[in-house]
């Protein structure tokens, strides 16, 4: 890619930090959207709850990437936190989409995060981007999340929804909590272990986001998952191999339901999601297999 100016919301999160570093390493100018008053030249203040963003900071951007949103697994799902999960995504997306649409020269592309939670529990059935939404809290959030980008789409801006799978990293997300357990020999399958986990290496996720920015024919939903989803049993076995630890302690479903509440349903659920459009567009995974993905996360 030629040198570009790219705005990133959610730049302090796991994926946002890695994406910002990758872009800057290659010489691109990154503008970070922050909720506090801007302190540096590369910052732009915004307030998604109030629907405000300093649009002057978006002028000249070739792309806007929105990764902002409250963590799905950061807290127990109380009614108030479920509202925070939903509102932080829908309000943030709508704020940026409307800001983009108001510019005299809007960016070429709006990459707005979504998630494979869109599909709900798919059981053993493999699904790609053509599948309809599932049922439940997360599918409903994902539908509203993507619909909130309508202003940008109506303004003619190419809009892409990377539906993210389970990002494998030792620095954050669910896997950062799993690695210490398995290192201590306390890891094991979750529930019956038959549920599918659709994962992706952090490095591949960042490369895929950049691919979405640069690939003009991509629009709409694109699954960001490794080519072959695995069952929890298979993931557990791989963790044992890579870390050279036994995996004797299964986590009973009943215990998860007590500890996690409603979130346990999604942990125990199965999502067999394949990245059909990403592969069709020519993206090359650096870490397509689970063992290499785990090793890359630990380096």
């Amino acid at each position: 890619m030629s040198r570009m100016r790219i705005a990133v919301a959610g730049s302090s999160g796991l994926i946002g930090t890695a994406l910002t570093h990758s872009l800057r390493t290659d010489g691109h100018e990154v503008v970070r959207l922050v909720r506090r008053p801007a302190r540096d030249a590369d910052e732009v203040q915004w307030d998604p709850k109030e629907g405000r963003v300093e649009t002057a900071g978006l002028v000249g951007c070739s792309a806007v990437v929105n990764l902002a949103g409250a963590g799905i697994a950061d807290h127990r799902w109380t009614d108030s936190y479920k509202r925070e999960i939903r509102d932080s995504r829908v309000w943030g997306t709508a704020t940026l989409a409307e800001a983009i649409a108001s510019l005299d020269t809007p960016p070429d592309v709006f990459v707005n995060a979504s998630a494979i939670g869109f599909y709900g529990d798919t059981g053993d059935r493999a699904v790609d981007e053509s599948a309809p939404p599932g049922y439940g809290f997360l599918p409903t959030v994902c539908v509203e999340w993507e619909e909130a980008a309508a202003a940008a789409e109506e303004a003619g801006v190419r809009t892409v929804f990377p539906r993210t799978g389970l990002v494998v990293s030792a620095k954050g997300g669910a896997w950062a909590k799993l690695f210490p357990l398995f290192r201590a020999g306390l890891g094991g399958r979750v529930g019956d272990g038959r549920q599918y986990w659709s994962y992706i290496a952090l490095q591949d996720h960042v490369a895929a986001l950049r691919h979405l920015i640069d690939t003009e024919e991509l629009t709409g939903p694109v699954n960001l998952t490794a080519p072959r989803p695995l069952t929890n049993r298979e993931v557990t076995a791989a963790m044992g191999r890579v870390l050279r630890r036994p995996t004797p302690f299964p986590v009973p479903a009943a215990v998860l339901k007590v500890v996690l509440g409603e979130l346990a349903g999604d942990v125990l659920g199965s999502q067999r999601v394949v990245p059909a459009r990403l592969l069709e567009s020519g993206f090359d995974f650096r870490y397509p297999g689970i063992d290499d993905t785990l090793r890359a996360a630990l380096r």
Side-chain angles (χ1 to χ4, degrees):
M1 294 186 291
S2 59
R3 186 176 185 273
M4 294 190 296
R5 177 179 168 89
I6 300 172
V8 179
S11 63
S12 62
L14 172 67
I15 298 169
T17 298
L19 175 64
T20 298
H21 175 74
S22 174
L23 291 169
R24 286 178 170 167
T25 297
D26 286 346
H28 300 293
E29 179 186 359
V30 178
V31 177
R32 297 180 299 118
L33 275 69
V34 297
R35 290 179 173 82
R36 54 169 171 74
R39 292 196 292 256
D40 298 311
D42 68 341
E43 295 180 343
V44 173
Q45 186 179 18
W46 77 315
D47 186 338
K49 288 187 177 181
E50 296 295 328
R52 295 197 307 265
V53 57
E54 296 294 337
T55 54
L58 302 181
V59 172
C61 286
S62 300
V64 174
V65 181
N66 179 25
L67 305 172
I72 295 294
D74 287 359
H75 300 280
R76 192 178 179 89
W77 280 6
T78 61
D79 288 343
S80 61
Y81 194 68
K82 286 169 69 175
R83 283 194 299 272
E84 177 66 18
I85 289 172
R86 183 264 181 198
D87 292 349
S88 64
R89 287 162 171 74
V90 174
W91 292 352
T93 297
T95 295
L96 285 176
E98 290 164 10
I100 287 168
S102 73
L103 297 174
D104 292 335
T105 305
D108 298 322
V109 60
F110 180 32
V111 178
N112 193 81
S114 185
I116 61 170
F118 178 93
Y119 305 107
D121 190 334
T122 72
D124 292 337
R125 177 173 52 94
V127 298
D128 62 16
E129 293 87 351
S130 65
Y135 301 94
F137 172 65
L138 287 181
T140 299
V141 168
C142 289
V143 169
E144 294 184 28
W145 193 2
E146 294 180 11
E147 288 178 345
E153 293 179 291
E154 291 166 3
V157 176
R158 180 170 67 89
T159 302
V160 191
F161 303 107
R163 291 177 178 166
T164 300
L166 295 168
V167 178
V168 183
S169 171
K171 298 179 180 178
W175 244 277
K177 300 175 182 178
L178 291 177
F179 279 125
L181 289 174
F182 278 83
R183 276 199 182 103
L186 299 176
R189 62 176 171 80
V190 177
D192 63 16
R194 297 175 184 173
Q195 68 273 30
Y196 278 88
W197 282 14
S198 297
Y199 68 93
I200 184 170
L202 175 61
Q203 297 89 335
D204 279 335
H205 194 285
V206 169
L209 288 174
R210 295 189 57 171
H211 181 76
L212 300 185
I213 293 171
D214 197 39
T215 306
E216 294 181 0
E217 63 267 25
L218 282 175
T219 186
V222 180
N223 295 332
L224 267 57
T225 59
R228 179 175 171 261
L230 299 176
T231 65
N232 174 256
R233 284 179 181 268
E234 292 173 307
V235 171
T236 298
M239 292 282 279
R241 284 194 305 272
V242 171
L243 294 172
R244 299 180 182 179
R245 293 289 188 275
T247 57
F249 299 109
V251 182
V255 172
L256 275 179
K257 290 174 182 177
V258 171
V259 174
L260 299 179
E262 187 177 347
L263 175 58
D266 288 274
V267 174
L268 294 165
S270 180
Q271 292 197 299
R272 192 177 183 181
V273 179
V274 294
R277 299 194 65 209
L278 197 59
L279 292 170
E280 289 167 1
S281 67
F283 182 76
D284 186 21
F285 283 88
R286 186 176 180 184
Y287 303 107
I290 187 63
D291 288 47
D292 286 342
T293 294
L294 295 173
R295 292 188 184 101
L298 293 167
R299 281 198 291 270

